[in-house]
């Protein structure tokens, strides 16, 4: 069946190209993108382990670590994840801490896809806001993962922030963020 699909697409592409001068391209498959760097306004720093809740914990592949904002420093706080180049972002997955702590603090978390050039933000698209959580989740259960659809927004930065601006802000602890997309056209 794949072989027939490929032959059909090639023939369709040749026909359209012949009639219009435009050659169609097959849409690239979605892949998990590599986060090259991160930035946060602040993060929780324990005196004995200052890197315990650092921003890079949000994408280190280890679900036992997490990023957490500094207590009481939620105003205008954010976590930026840099991709190194502009991609079409299809979706972002955010997973809470594995220990079940602070699950309610994920509510009002906003995810935006941005194109930044130097210090200038050229474009921002809203991928969505997490509006609820599983209140039955206990510390014995697995962490919750939330998927936000970015609908192919162009971005080289994913910005995660908190609308609530309460004392804890992003203090819920983001265990892992995965960004999916494809190379931009």
């Amino acid at each position: 069946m794949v072989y027939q699909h490929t032959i059909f697409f090639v023939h369709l592409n040749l026909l359209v190209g012949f009639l219009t001068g435009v050659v169609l391209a097959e849409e690239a498959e979605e892949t998990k993108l590599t986060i090259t760097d991160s930035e946060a306004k602040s993060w929780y720093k324990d005196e004995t382990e200052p890197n315990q809740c650092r921003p890079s914990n949000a994408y280190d592949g280890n679900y036992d670590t997490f990023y957490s904002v500094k207590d009481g420093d939620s105003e205008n706080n954010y976590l930026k994840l840099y991709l190194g180049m502009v991609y079409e972002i299809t979706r972002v997955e955010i997973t809470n801490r594995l220990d079940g702590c602070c699950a309610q603090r994920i509510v009002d978390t906003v995810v935006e896809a941005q194109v930044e050039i130097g210090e200038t933000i050229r474009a921002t698209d809203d991928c969505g806001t997490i509006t609820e959580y599983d209140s039955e989740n206990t510390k014995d259960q697995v962490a919750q993962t939330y998927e936000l659809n970015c609908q192919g927004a162009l971005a080289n930065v994913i910005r995660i922030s908190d609308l609530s601006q309460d004392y804890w802000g992003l203090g819920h602890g983001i265990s892992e963020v995965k960004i999916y997309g494809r190379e931009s056209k």
Side-chain angles (χ1 to χ4, degrees):
M1 184 65 176
V2 172
Y3 178 72
Q4 290 174 339
H5 169 73
T6 303
I7 289 175
F8 174 76
F9 185 79
V10 169
H11 285 125
L12 177 64
N13 201 7
L14 291 173
L15 178 62
V16 170
F18 176 75
L19 295 175
T20 66
V22 176
V23 178
L24 300 175
E26 273 193 78
E27 192 167 293
E29 293 215 17
E30 172 189 84
T31 61
K32 181 177 174 270
L33 303 176
T34 300
I35 299 168
T36 59
D37 201 3
S38 58
E39 171 188 340
K41 177 184 171 196
S42 72
W43 66 90
Y44 179 78
K45 297 175 185 161
D46 185 276
E47 289 179 15
T48 59
E49 292 186 61
N51 292 322
Q52 179 182 6
C53 300
R54 68 181 180 251
S56 61
N57 286 354
Y59 58 95
D60 63 1
N62 182 351
Y63 285 87
D64 291 324
T65 64
F66 57 90
Y67 159 74
S68 185
V69 70
K70 179 180 169 188
D71 298 349
D73 193 14
S74 64
E75 187 173 341
N76 299 317
N77 210 329
Y78 60 84
L79 172 62
K80 286 185 177 183
L81 303 172
Y82 295 94
L83 301 171
M85 62 183 270
V86 175
Y87 292 94
E88 286 182 36
I89 308 301
T90 53
R91 62 192 168 102
V92 175
E93 290 180 0
I94 298 178
T95 302
N96 262 353
R97 290 167 52 172
L98 282 179
D99 62 8
C101 174
C102 320
Q104 74 282 4
R105 296 182 192 156
I106 195 81
V107 174
D108 290 332
T109 296
V110 177
V111 176
E112 297 170 314
Q114 297 181 329
V115 175
E116 284 190 13
I117 300 173
E119 298 290 318
T120 305
I121 298 171
R122 297 289 182 185
T124 299
D125 287 296
D126 184 24
C127 294
T129 302
I130 298 171
T131 57
E132 58 186 44
Y133 73 102
D134 179 4
S135 61
E136 300 300 314
N137 190 24
T138 67
K139 291 186 181 213
D140 297 330
Q141 293 177 326
V142 296
Q144 298 174 47
T145 298
Y146 301 86
E147 184 175 302
L148 297 113
N149 184 349
C150 298
Q151 302 178 10
L154 294 179
N156 59 351
V157 176
I158 297 298
R159 185 179 192 274
I160 302 171
S161 58
D162 182 17
L163 285 176
S164 70
Q165 301 294 312
D166 67 7
Y167 179 80
W168 297 103
L170 288 171
H172 47 74
I174 296 173
S175 178
E176 286 298 311
V177 177
K178 294 180 181 177
I179 304 167
Y180 294 87
R182 56 184 66 91
E183 287 190 28
S184 63
K185 298 173 189 164

